[in-house]
Amino acid sequence: MYFLAFCIPFFAQHGVDFISLIAPTSANRIAMIAREARGFIYVVSSLGVTGERAEITTDVGSLVATIRENTSVPCAVGFGISTPQQAHDMAAISDGAIVGSTIIRLLEQYGAEAPAHIGAFVKSMKDAL
């Protein structure tokens, strides 16, 4: 907690919000984290490390419902979001979907040709919303 007590005022002094993460394992702390959050809340969709997932099996809706009971700060879901359908499903129960690993994979896969592929991918994700 010392880290947060020191960093949050420092960040605010420079106009930067500390982005809180709420994971499926945060059950007893969701309300407290949500009440203290600024900017937006990053809802972690899955246990484990970030990366593409074939499906999201966590009850993200319950996490988001608890967050919404405790704050009006927007929340977006990340970790494992890699298809337009997943983005649609997560944005339907939250304020957005966060995608990272698939974009990095496309960059690695296509190198100098990646911008066109990444652009098409991002467009497909946006269209799904």
Side-chain angles (χ1 to χ4, degrees):
M1 292 309 264
Y2 173 78
F3 173 78
L4 293 179
F6 172 78
C7 290
I8 291 175
F10 179 79
F11 293 162
Q13 196 174 30
H14 295 282
V16 175
D17 288 320
F18 178 84
I19 305 304
S20 300
L21 276 77
I22 292 181
T25 57
S26 302
N28 297 331
R29 299 180 313 273
I30 293 173
M32 185 264 311
I33 295 168
R35 284 192 296 270
E36 300 294 323
R38 301 292 180 266
F40 78 95
I41 297 170
Y42 190 125
V43 181
V44 178
S45 70
S46 308
L47 296 174
V49 297
T50 188
E52 298 168 287
R53 303 261 194 301
E55 60 183 337
I56 307 296
T57 58
T58 305
D59 184 6
V60 177
S62 292
L63 293 172
V64 171
T66 304
I67 291 166
R68 292 198 192 286
E69 290 170 4
N70 290 281
T71 188
S72 61
V73 172
C75 59
V77 181
F79 273 54
I81 313 303
S82 60
T83 68
Q85 185 62 53
Q86 289 172 335
H88 175 270
D89 294 348
M90 294 302 110
I93 59 174
S94 70
D95 298 301
I98 301 168
V99 179
S101 295
T102 302
I103 292 171
I104 298 304
R105 182 183 51 77
L106 291 170
L107 179 61
E108 182 179 70
Q109 181 178 351
Y110 292 105
E113 304 299 318
H117 295 277
I118 292 169
F121 172 72
V122 170
K123 182 178 183 328
S124 74
M125 297 295 263
K126 183 177 180 274
D127 289 348
L129 303 178

